[in-house]
Amino acid sequence: MKFNIPKTMKAWVLGDPDELLFIEKPVPEPGRAEVLVRIDAIAVCATDLEVISHGPPAMIEGGLPFNKKFIPGHEYMGTVVKLGPNVDEYETGERVAVEIHAGCGRCKRCRQGMYTSCHNYGKNYGDQDKGHRANGYTTDGGFSEYAVNNINTLIKVPEGIGDEEATLIVTAGTATYGLDVLGGLIAGESVVVTGAGPIGLLAVSVAKALGAAPVILTDIEANRLEIGRELGADITLNAADVNVVEKVREITGGPGCDYVMECSGAPGALNEAADMVSRGGRICLAAFAAQPVTFDAAKLVMDNIYMFGIRGEGKSAVKRAAALMGQGRINAKPIHTHSFPLDEVPTAIKYAREKIDGAIKVVVKIKQD
Amino acid sequence: MKFNIPKTMKAWVLGDPDELLFIEKPVPEPGRAEVLVRIDAIAVCATDLEVISHGPPAMIEGGLPFNKKFIPGHEYMGTVVKLGPNVDEYETGERVAVEIHAGCGRCKRCRQGMYTSCHNYGKNYGDQDKGHRANGYTTDGGFSEYAVNNINTLIKVPEGIGDEEATLIVTAGTATYGLDVLGGLIAGESVVVTGAGPIGLLAVSVAKALGAAPVILTDIEANRLEIGRELGADITLNAADVNVVEKVREITGGPGCDYVMECSGAPGALNEAADMVSRGGRICLAAFAAQPVTFDAAKLVMDNIYMFGIRGEGKSAVKRAAALMGQGRINAKPIHTHSFPLDEVPTAIKYAREKIDGAIKVVVKIKQD
Amino acid sequence: MKFNIPKTMKAWVLGDPDELLFIEKPVPEPGRAEVLVRIDAIAVCATDLEVISHGPPAMIEGGLPFNKKFIPGHEYMGTVVKLGPNVDEYETGERVAVEIHAGCGRCKRCRQGMYTSCHNYGKNYGDQDKGHRANGYTTDGGFSEYAVNNINTLIKVPEGIGDEEATLIVTAGTATYGLDVLGGLIAGESVVVTGAGPIGLLAVSVAKALGAAPVILTDIEANRLEIGRELGADITLNAADVNVVEKVREITGGPGCDYVMECSGAPGALNEAADMVSRGGRICLAAFAAQPVTFDAAKLVMDNIYMFGIRGEGKSAVKRAAALMGQGRINAKPIHTHSFPLDEVPTAIKYAREKIDGAIKVVVKIKQD
Amino acid sequence: MKFNIPKTMKAWVLGDPDELLFIEKPVPEPGRAEVLVRIDAIAVCATDLEVISHGPPAMIEGGLPFNKKFIPGHEYMGTVVKLGPNVDEYETGERVAVEIHAGCGRCKRCRQGMYTSCHNYGKNYGDQDKGHRANGYTTDGGFSEYAVNNINTLIKVPEGIGDEEATLIVTAGTATYGLDVLGGLIAGESVVVTGAGPIGLLAVSVAKALGAAPVILTDIEANRLEIGRELGADITLNAADVNVVEKVREITGGPGCDYVMECSGAPGALNEAADMVSRGGRICLAAFAAQPVTFDAAKLVMDNIYMFGIRGEGKSAVKRAAALMGQGRINAKPIHTHSFPLDEVPTAIKYAREKIDGAIKVVVKIKQD
């Protein structure tokens, strides 16, 4: 398939903090192991809000000035429209979702397959170029018409998955990374997901897809718990009404659950997770409190508990998530609540930030059907 | 070999809190899958001090009254003097060290091989008997002349290892469990051990035995750091003098170390561990602060870090440690500082508790050579 | 729930080779960690045919005489009717399926959680008693009205699963053990199952449940391939018509598949598996040729391939399979083709052995609804 | 450090089959993520003999004509003399050993960290360039004065290791890959190494470094078994004199060993390995018979045995081996038997091929001290 690719494109770029500018930029050229993706849809992630207010993460770490003219956004999908030299892994016309990180391929972590923990993250400027790319973090992202992607960040969108839903493959990949890849969840194990934001809700769906039972979801908003049940949660607990730790111990007959996936970032979440997980169990942290919290590590030691954080999706977990979504095992649709066109990105962001009208996942739909 | 086994034995048992009584008790009889061990030497562990002051752990959990007449002590070694029915895995006359836990063999964790995380721990009384045994915690321990042991808790003492040193096999097993079994440490990785108590010092020796490089030890006592160097530490850092986090980052050329084994229980240890481990690294907690601490979990999430507690030794790690000790790879001798005879257990405990005369590992030597 | 348990029961026992006798035997008594199961249904397994002709496996290994009066059969399910001392993990009245092996709990493999590879297998007679039990192999099996089972061999039958289907939970567990536990199959990987017998067909269903794609089934019987499609096979290949190796390479775009599960026992199966698996892939052997075969190991070495045999179900894989079956992810129903009452066991065996009337899984239904 | 790099260099290149030509070639230029290595020493590997007779492996697979002017040789070490753009992981003047494969970094296996099983192996010519490099197989090797290397293939030579010994780091890495990375050998497990060639002998040393006990070596040549004892073998068995399978079972008290590393390529080796490994054990194949062999797979299935081939070194195992060698845990010196200068490569090869004068590892020493 042959695409007419314009010389320039429309893109939202960072201006001053909290300022986004809608400008015309040159369409980038794909290099070795890269393709050009026409962006068809992009979801707003909570991290984008951070980037828009405080600049891309790597910029901050590196002590660089606030990065004007940088395109944020990483939860996108689109269509391959041009191939870099020697790329035959994809064809033009294929629909793809993207994951964030293309590892440098040369550091210790990348060589272990842990490319999201790349030690050269953020070193992709000028003389320091180590090849790590992170869409919307260290390289231009997706609030735009086109983006260059390393082929390692592409996942084919399974048939039958619409554009909006496909933007959530990477979010499902994050949950899959936590539960399956790092957590080693197995069928029949009990899972508690704390916090019913997009990752928490998808974690429910992924946990069910992996055969977990029961899957318990906690939150303080009834409507989100309702969506959780729609996505397969066997039990939902409203933390505003019940003592979640006691309830989990009761449901599991005493010892607690096998696995906690903490997605709330609530200050008490760590201690509660440690209190509701059974001896020898595991706690995955997909969120964290804005401030340091008071934490009792004794439980981790006395009960031999693994607690681990997840940095994005990692270890090709997005491919697993895409496979499960294509088989109808993961249902991301109920999480997508609002859509806006490209020229209304600021409105989309406002909806996401302020949770207007019950917004969970807000998607910018660029390709008009 | 045939042993004359008396009807009664001398044993130290718990009286009121912080009271130990030296009494005469019947020598116990080994049952199915058990042997009778004549105790030749036993080391004082920090946990023993807790037990003596507050009762055996399982008692507390179960809400039982303070357990008078219970024998504490779990770091012991001795000689097999009698076999239970059908036991042919051991012969009388063999020297054995012991690990603490014999799993129930029927709970979820035991069936995973995680017998130290047994969900039936503490349920070994009366009608509830589930078969889990934990020497000195839920069943009589080793401040005594004889003890019954499940064969699963026995490790043959390699030739050339003396009685006192053999009591430390289980401590080396704890370090091996953290570094090797759960942590998956590989040759060439960098390790920081924080805290130069017995487990920390043996962790240095075990890390070296596993090929780690460099192995860095931190503490605030110069004499313990000196012993650490004797045990193989490549670098020692006195936390009273230097900023340990900065130093570790400097030594590793920036990213931090691959592995932190926290053995200090210091209030700031968790945050420091997270700050000195590299992205994608691991933190093993072998100690914990007496009180909850202020902890910033953001680092775990943003840097994809595993943090896990270890409940004793687990997963036959003690067998690995014994093999390495028998090959001269782990040297526990410098950690053993004092010996006392059985009738001086209170003095031994006082030395251990108050670190009198630079005491690190205090051993009660029961068999007189 | 309280059950009236008779003093004696009807049971099929081994007489001379290939002779089964229908006799009256005392109902056994459950001991420590055991329950008495009223057998409601039992499937005929190919291994049963071996046992009936050649005696229980452990007998042969141990050089014992042909074991008259031994009850064969291991693929059974039933109802807990009596509890041994201290058993509270189950209640009377619960429906359970069983797995074969209760490990000795004291050998090296059992302590690793590999209880099916127990080194004390077959040593459960007289003075040698090590506690390993294997239903229908070393201890009385299920062609009978009652059987004693170690609680470690029990799996609760999920709601909505009928008796006949529940006999296949253990077969699904075998496939789960190979694909999931030992094989580490992940969603999106390609799988070829060679041989559409009961294990092969269930392997198709399990592979789909785990998210594999595509799942390819090969056999030479069109009707079995048809059942394979019903169970979810994406592609079926009739090895009588096409070159299976070439086809697999074509379907996978060149490199071959990620995983082969060999269930045919055909003489050429090993070499074909090695030829159709991709570099770095895995081959699970669930069957083997009656005679040694000609095998070219070069492929394993040059392409870094794992090949491993599975000894029954192992590592609690049956629990995973039961969870997936309860969630409707594994469908065993189409594999069950015939049922007979207890007094017609010889007919059931004849159907299974001679594949009369397209028999795949023949079940003896003992409880009459 | 600054090096004077000539425009041309001396190199041995392939002519017709079994013909090597000593020619002058341009010194290659390091590109992105590459350095130029001045080769100081290179060992002759058995695979080199294959390459010299039949052409580089990738050539044959791809159906290309015999590759005249290609430089064979992959077991080399040397000095970094020039850095490619943005390389700061190494400095000029550093001594490095090399592993063979630099993965493409974009195929499924590379993304799993299995770069030696790269699916783009051999596709590094012209339009097909996928970036996989394999020294001496698909890109020019080391029988030469200089070679370009991807930084992922470099390992720093530990202090105190001479040039000749350093050429064996990669061979030790192969043994480490089999025993440690893929095999998961743990301290205290029993290992049999069958075949006392270079890999077998280093496998003995690596097994000892990992704490295996006992380590048993078999061969039919007494002098090689003698070297095995020097490298740490606890027991050596001359297969010409004793029944090796029986002996191993006797030594292990019945069940057989935990691990067999097969390095002989003898026709009966597969069956013997299966017969001497214990139930639940593992067999690593580092060699294979020239012709298909008769093999009884029943043992693998009935005893739940893993058998896996190793394709070179893989998963950064060479780094582990280098660390252990630097710590004096692996001793490669006794394996190095002969040295020749660069202009005597044909003689070196003749010694290696014909095992003249008891040759085990023949090294070409290029840098004259």
Side-chain angles (χ1 to χ4, degrees):
Chain A
M1 209 177 292
K2 182 94 177 86
F3 289 85
N4 276 330
I5 299 161
K7 289 269 180 290
T8 63
M9 64 183 186
K10 287 180 181 160
W12 289 93
V13 297
L14 299 178
D16 285 323
D18 282 318
E19 185 190 32
L20 280 176
L21 308 172
F22 200 34
I23 66 165
E24 198 81 17
K25 282 190 68 162
V27 173
E29 222 13 68
R32 190 176 178 288
E34 291 177 343
V35 302
L36 182 68
V37 174
R38 183 194 71 205
I39 298 166
D40 295 333
I42 174 168
V44 180
C45 174
T47 312
D48 295 332
L49 310 178
E50 290 295 311
V51 170
I52 290 165
S53 297
H54 305 106
M59 296 290 110
I60 296 165
E61 281 188 10
L64 297 190
F66 195 81
N67 186 27
K68 292 186 186 180
K69 303 298 168 61
F70 180 86
I71 308 173
H74 58 272
E75 292 190 349
Y76 61 89
M77 58 76 57
T79 303
V80 174
V81 292
K82 191 173 181 182
L83 307 175
N86 293 327
V87 169
D88 57 9
E89 287 89 347
Y90 289 88
E91 292 176 18
T92 54
E94 284 190 299
R95 292 171 73 227
V96 290
V98 300
E99 52 181 305
I100 299 166
H101 296 267
C104 76
R106 59 205 276 182
C107 76
K108 175 189 296 196
R109 296 296 174 231
C110 280
R111 297 203 74 203
Q112 292 171 328
M114 296 175 69
Y115 52 86
T116 46
S117 294
C118 176
H119 282 184
N120 283 322
Y121 173 83
K123 295 185 190 159
N124 53 337
Y125 305 101
D127 287 354
Q128 255 203 318
D129 184 17
K130 295 299 189 192
H132 184 101
R133 293 177 62 88
N135 304 320
Y137 290 163
T138 67
T139 53
D140 279 332
F143 287 119
S144 170
E145 287 182 305
Y146 292 93
V148 154
N149 269 82
N150 187 293
I151 57 170
N152 285 351
T153 64
L154 302 185
I155 296 95
K156 295 182 190 185
V157 175
E159 279 181 45
I161 305 292
D163 287 357
E164 286 92 339
E165 196 182 356
T167 64
L168 295 168
I169 291 176
V170 67
T171 316
T174 298
T176 305
Y177 180 57
L179 290 164
D180 191 20
V181 181
L182 294 188
L185 181 69
I186 60 177
E189 286 190 316
S190 53
V191 173
V192 177
V193 176
T194 51
I199 292 182
L201 288 167
L202 275 167
V204 165
S205 196
V206 169
K208 290 300 292 184
L210 297 169
V215 174
I216 302 168
L217 176 67
T218 77
D219 202 287
I220 52 171
E221 293 187 32
N223 67 316
R224 294 199 164 204
L225 293 173
E226 174 62 37
I227 294 173
R229 282 191 294 276
E230 196 180 335
L231 292 177
D234 298 298
I235 297 163
T236 56
L237 300 177
N238 193 319
D241 301 335
V242 300
N243 180 318
V244 166
V245 171
E246 277 176 19
K247 267 291 177 188
V248 167
R249 292 201 160 265
E250 187 187 314
I251 291 164
T252 57
C257 62
D258 294 307
Y259 200 104
V260 176
M261 179 137 181
E262 159 32 23
C263 306
S264 75
L270 252 60
N271 284 327
E272 281 181 23
D275 284 340
M276 69 175 81
V277 79
S278 72
R279 188 176 294 143
R282 284 149 288 153
I283 298 167
C284 174
L285 305 180
F288 52 90
Q291 302 299 326
V293 298
T294 300
F295 177 57
D296 186 2
K299 187 80 185 333
L300 297 193
V301 180
M302 295 182 69
D303 277 353
N304 211 90
I305 290 168
Y306 277 87
M307 185 164 93
F308 51 93
I310 50 169
R311 177 179 168 85
E313 61 284 351
K315 284 217 168 180
S316 301
V318 186
K319 280 210 166 56
R320 304 188 192 190
L324 292 168
M325 207 180 275
Q327 294 159 24
R329 299 278 174 73
I330 298 174
N331 178 14
K333 272 190 201 157
I335 293 167
H336 166 229
T337 52
H338 295 76
S339 291
F340 294 92
L342 181 59
D343 55 5
E344 293 183 29
V345 160
T347 312
I349 285 167
K350 186 179 165 70
Y351 267 66
R353 192 189 298 266
E354 300 173 18
K355 294 178 188 166
I356 294 173
D357 187 24
I360 301 178
K361 251 319 173 194
V362 178
V363 172
V364 175
K365 184 72 162 62
I366 300 174
K367 186 183 72 178
Q368 297 309 321
D369 302 306
Chain B
M1 210 178 290
K2 182 93 178 90
F3 289 85
N4 276 330
I5 299 161
K7 288 270 182 288
T8 62
M9 64 183 187
K10 287 182 180 157
W12 289 93
V13 297
L14 299 178
D16 286 324
D18 281 318
E19 185 190 32
L20 279 176
L21 307 172
F22 201 34
I23 67 166
E24 197 82 16
K25 283 189 69 162
V27 172
E29 210 32 55
R32 190 175 177 289
E34 291 177 343
V35 304
L36 182 67
V37 174
R38 184 195 70 206
I39 298 164
D40 295 333
I42 174 168
V44 180
C45 173
T47 312
D48 294 334
L49 309 179
E50 290 295 309
V51 169
I52 291 165
S53 297
H54 304 107
M59 295 291 109
I60 296 165
E61 281 189 11
L64 298 189
F66 196 82
N67 186 27
K68 293 185 185 182
K69 304 298 169 61
F70 179 87
I71 308 173
H74 58 272
E75 293 189 348
Y76 59 90
M77 59 74 58
T79 303
V80 175
V81 292
K82 191 172 180 183
L83 306 175
N86 293 328
V87 170
D88 57 8
E89 287 89 348
Y90 290 87
E91 292 177 19
T92 54
E94 284 191 298
R95 294 172 73 227
V96 290
V98 300
E99 55 180 301
I100 300 166
H101 296 267
C104 75
R106 61 203 276 182
C107 75
K108 175 188 299 195
R109 296 296 174 232
C110 280
R111 298 203 74 204
Q112 293 171 326
M114 296 175 68
Y115 53 86
T116 45
S117 294
C118 177
H119 282 185
N120 285 321
Y121 173 82
K123 296 185 190 160
N124 54 336
Y125 305 100
D127 288 353
Q128 254 203 317
D129 184 15
K130 296 298 188 193
H132 184 102
R133 294 177 61 89
N135 304 320
Y137 289 163
T138 68
T139 54
D140 278 333
F143 287 118
S144 171
E145 287 181 306
Y146 292 93
V148 153
N149 269 82
N150 187 294
I151 57 169
N152 286 349
T153 63
L154 302 185
I155 296 94
K156 295 182 190 186
V157 174
E159 279 181 46
I161 305 291
D163 287 358
E164 286 92 337
E165 195 182 358
T167 65
L168 294 168
I169 291 176
V170 68
T171 316
T174 298
T176 304
Y177 180 56
L179 290 165
D180 190 20
V181 181
L182 295 188
L185 182 69
I186 59 177
E189 286 191 314
S190 53
V191 173
V192 176
V193 178
T194 51
I199 292 182
L201 287 167
L202 274 167
V204 165
S205 196
V206 169
K208 289 300 291 184
L210 296 169
V215 175
I216 302 167
L217 175 67
T218 76
D219 202 286
I220 52 171
E221 293 187 35
N223 67 316
R224 294 200 165 204
L225 292 173
E226 174 63 36
I227 294 174
R229 282 191 294 276
E230 196 180 334
L231 292 176
D234 299 297
I235 298 163
T236 56
L237 300 176
N238 194 320
D241 302 336
V242 299
N243 180 318
V244 165
V245 171
E246 276 176 20
K247 267 288 179 192
V248 167
R249 292 201 160 265
E250 187 187 314
I251 292 164
T252 56
C257 62
D258 294 308
Y259 201 104
V260 175
M261 181 136 180
E262 155 40 17
C263 305
S264 75
L270 253 60
N271 285 327
E272 281 181 22
D275 284 340
M276 69 176 80
V277 79
S278 71
R279 188 175 295 143
R282 285 151 287 153
I283 299 167
C284 175
L285 304 179
F288 52 91
Q291 302 300 325
V293 297
T294 299
F295 176 57
D296 186 2
K299 188 79 185 331
L300 298 192
V301 180
M302 293 182 70
D303 277 353
N304 210 89
I305 291 168
Y306 277 85
M307 184 164 95
F308 51 94
I310 51 170
R311 179 180 167 83
E313 60 285 351
K315 285 217 167 181
S316 301
V318 185
K319 281 210 165 59
R320 304 188 192 190
L324 293 168
M325 207 180 275
Q327 294 159 24
R329 301 276 175 74
I330 298 174
N331 178 13
K333 271 188 202 157
I335 294 168
H336 166 230
T337 52
H338 295 77
S339 292
F340 295 92
L342 181 59
D343 55 6
E344 292 183 30
V345 161
T347 311
I349 285 168
K350 186 181 165 68
Y351 267 65
R353 192 191 297 267
E354 300 172 18
K355 295 177 187 166
I356 294 172
D357 188 24
I360 301 179
K361 252 319 174 194
V362 178
V363 172
V364 175
K365 183 75 164 59
I366 301 174
K367 185 184 71 178
Q368 298 308 324
D369 301 307
Chain C
M1 209 177 291
K2 183 95 178 82
F3 289 85
N4 277 329
I5 299 160
K7 289 268 182 287
T8 63
M9 64 182 186
K10 287 181 180 160
W12 289 94
V13 296
L14 299 178
D16 285 324
D18 282 317
E19 185 190 32
L20 279 176
L21 307 172
F22 201 34
I23 67 165
E24 198 80 15
K25 283 189 68 160
V27 172
E29 218 19 65
R32 189 176 178 291
E34 291 177 344
V35 304
L36 182 67
V37 174
R38 184 195 70 205
I39 298 165
D40 296 333
I42 175 168
V44 180
C45 174
T47 313
D48 294 332
L49 310 178
E50 290 296 310
V51 170
I52 291 165
S53 298
H54 305 107
M59 298 288 109
I60 296 165
E61 280 189 11
L64 298 189
F66 195 82
N67 184 27
K68 292 184 186 182
K69 302 298 167 63
F70 179 88
I71 307 174
H74 58 273
E75 292 189 348
Y76 60 89
M77 57 75 57
T79 303
V80 174
V81 293
K82 193 174 181 181
L83 306 174
N86 293 329
V87 170
D88 57 9
E89 287 89 347
Y90 289 88
E91 292 178 17
T92 55
E94 284 191 297
R95 295 171 72 227
V96 290
V98 300
E99 53 180 303
I100 301 166
H101 296 268
C104 75
R106 60 204 277 182
C107 75
K108 173 189 298 196
R109 295 297 174 230
C110 281
R111 296 203 75 205
Q112 294 171 326
M114 296 175 68
Y115 52 86
T116 45
S117 293
C118 177
H119 282 183
N120 284 321
Y121 174 83
K123 295 186 190 159
N124 54 337
Y125 305 100
D127 288 353
Q128 256 204 318
D129 184 17
K130 296 297 188 194
H132 184 102
R133 294 177 61 89
N135 304 320
Y137 289 164
T138 68
T139 53
D140 279 333
F143 287 119
S144 171
E145 287 181 306
Y146 292 93
V148 154
N149 269 82
N150 187 293
I151 57 169
N152 285 349
T153 63
L154 302 185
I155 296 96
K156 294 183 190 185
V157 175
E159 279 181 45
I161 304 292
D163 287 358
E164 286 93 338
E165 194 182 358
T167 64
L168 295 169
I169 291 176
V170 67
T171 317
T174 299
T176 304
Y177 180 57
L179 289 165
D180 191 20
V181 181
L182 295 187
L185 181 68
I186 60 176
E189 286 190 315
S190 54
V191 173
V192 177
V193 177
T194 51
I199 292 182
L201 287 167
L202 274 167
V204 165
S205 196
V206 169
K208 290 300 293 184
L210 296 170
V215 175
I216 302 168
L217 176 67
T218 76
D219 202 285
I220 52 172
E221 292 188 35
N223 68 316
R224 295 199 164 205
L225 292 174
E226 173 62 35
I227 294 173
R229 281 191 294 276
E230 196 180 334
L231 292 176
D234 298 298
I235 298 163
T236 56
L237 300 176
N238 194 320
D241 301 336
V242 300
N243 180 319
V244 165
V245 171
E246 277 175 19
K247 267 289 178 189
V248 167
R249 293 201 160 263
E250 187 187 313
I251 291 164
T252 57
C257 61
D258 293 308
Y259 201 104
V260 175
M261 180 136 181
E262 159 33 22
C263 304
S264 75
L270 253 60
N271 284 328
E272 281 181 22
D275 284 340
M276 69 176 82
V277 78
S278 72
R279 189 176 293 143
R282 286 150 287 154
I283 299 167
C284 174
L285 304 180
F288 52 90
Q291 303 299 324
V293 297
T294 300
F295 176 57
D296 185 2
K299 187 78 185 334
L300 298 192
V301 180
M302 295 183 68
D303 277 353
N304 211 89
I305 291 168
Y306 276 86
M307 185 164 93
F308 51 93
I310 51 170
R311 178 179 167 85
E313 60 285 350
K315 286 219 167 178
S316 302
V318 185
K319 280 209 165 58
R320 303 188 192 191
L324 293 168
M325 207 180 275
Q327 294 160 22
R329 300 276 175 73
I330 298 174
N331 178 13
K333 272 188 200 156
I335 293 168
H336 166 229
T337 52
H338 295 77
S339 291
F340 295 92
L342 181 58
D343 56 4
E344 292 183 30
V345 161
T347 311
I349 285 167
K350 186 181 166 68
Y351 267 66
R353 192 190 298 268
E354 300 172 20
K355 296 178 186 164
I356 294 173
D357 187 25
I360 300 179
K361 252 315 173 194
V362 178
V363 172
V364 175
K365 183 75 164 58
I366 300 174
K367 185 184 73 177
Q368 297 308 323
D369 303 306
Chain D
M1 209 177 291
K2 183 93 178 87
F3 288 85
N4 276 330
I5 299 161
K7 289 269 181 288
T8 63
M9 64 183 186
K10 286 181 183 161
W12 288 94
V13 296
L14 299 178
D16 285 324
D18 281 317
E19 185 190 33
L20 279 176
L21 308 171
F22 200 34
I23 68 166
E24 197 81 15
K25 283 190 69 162
V27 172
E29 216 20 64
R32 191 177 176 287
E34 291 178 342
V35 303
L36 182 68
V37 174
R38 184 194 70 204
I39 299 165
D40 295 333
I42 174 168
V44 180
C45 173
T47 313
D48 295 332
L49 310 178
E50 290 296 311
V51 170
I52 291 165
S53 297
H54 303 106
M59 296 289 108
I60 295 165
E61 280 189 11
L64 298 189
F66 195 81
N67 185 27
K68 292 186 185 180
K69 302 298 168 63
F70 180 86
I71 308 173
H74 58 273
E75 293 189 348
Y76 60 89
M77 59 74 59
T79 303
V80 174
V81 291
K82 191 173 181 183
L83 306 175
N86 293 326
V87 169
D88 57 9
E89 288 89 348
Y90 289 88
E91 292 176 18
T92 55
E94 284 191 298
R95 293 172 74 227
V96 290
V98 300
E99 53 180 304
I100 300 166
H101 296 268
C104 75
R106 60 203 277 181
C107 75
K108 175 188 298 196
R109 296 299 173 227
C110 280
R111 298 204 73 204
Q112 293 172 325
M114 296 175 69
Y115 52 86
T116 45
S117 294
C118 176
H119 282 185
N120 284 321
Y121 174 82
K123 295 186 190 159
N124 54 336
Y125 305 101
D127 288 353
Q128 256 205 316
D129 184 16
K130 296 299 188 192
H132 183 101
R133 294 177 61 89
N135 304 321
Y137 289 164
T138 68
T139 52
D140 278 332
F143 287 119
S144 171
E145 287 181 306
Y146 291 93
V148 154
N149 268 82
N150 187 295
I151 57 170
N152 285 350
T153 63
L154 303 185
I155 295 94
K156 295 181 191 187
V157 175
E159 280 180 45
I161 305 292
D163 287 356
E164 285 93 338
E165 194 182 357
T167 65
L168 294 168
I169 291 176
V170 68
T171 315
T174 298
T176 304
Y177 180 57
L179 290 164
D180 190 19
V181 181
L182 294 187
L185 181 69
I186 60 178
E189 286 191 314
S190 54
V191 172
V192 176
V193 176
T194 51
I199 291 182
L201 288 167
L202 274 168
V204 165
S205 196
V206 169
K208 289 300 290 184
L210 296 170
V215 175
I216 302 167
L217 175 68
T218 76
D219 202 286
I220 51 173
E221 293 187 34
N223 68 316
R224 294 198 164 205
L225 292 173
E226 174 62 35
I227 294 174
R229 282 191 293 276
E230 195 180 336
L231 292 177
D234 299 298
I235 298 162
T236 55
L237 301 175
N238 194 320
D241 301 335
V242 300
N243 180 319
V244 166
V245 171
E246 276 176 19
K247 267 289 178 190
V248 167
R249 292 200 160 266
E250 187 186 315
I251 292 164
T252 57
C257 62
D258 293 308
Y259 201 105
V260 175
M261 181 137 179
E262 156 39 18
C263 306
S264 76
L270 252 60
N271 285 327
E272 281 181 23
D275 284 341
M276 70 175 80
V277 79
S278 71
R279 189 175 295 143
R282 285 150 287 153
I283 299 167
C284 174
L285 305 181
F288 52 90
Q291 302 299 325
V293 298
T294 299
F295 176 57
D296 186 3
K299 187 80 184 335
L300 298 192
V301 180
M302 295 182 70
D303 277 353
N304 211 88
I305 291 167
Y306 277 86
M307 184 164 95
F308 50 95
I310 51 169
R311 177 179 169 84
E313 60 285 351
K315 285 216 167 181
S316 302
V318 185
K319 281 212 165 55
R320 305 187 192 192
L324 293 168
M325 207 180 274
Q327 294 159 23
R329 300 277 174 73
I330 298 174
N331 178 12
K333 272 189 202 156
I335 294 167
H336 166 229
T337 52
H338 296 75
S339 291
F340 294 93
L342 181 59
D343 56 4
E344 292 184 30
V345 161
T347 311
I349 285 167
K350 185 180 166 69
Y351 268 67
R353 192 190 298 268
E354 300 173 20
K355 295 176 186 165
I356 292 172
D357 187 25
I360 301 179
K361 252 318 173 194
V362 178
V363 172
V364 175
K365 184 75 164 61
I366 300 174
K367 184 184 70 178
Q368 297 308 323
D369 302 306

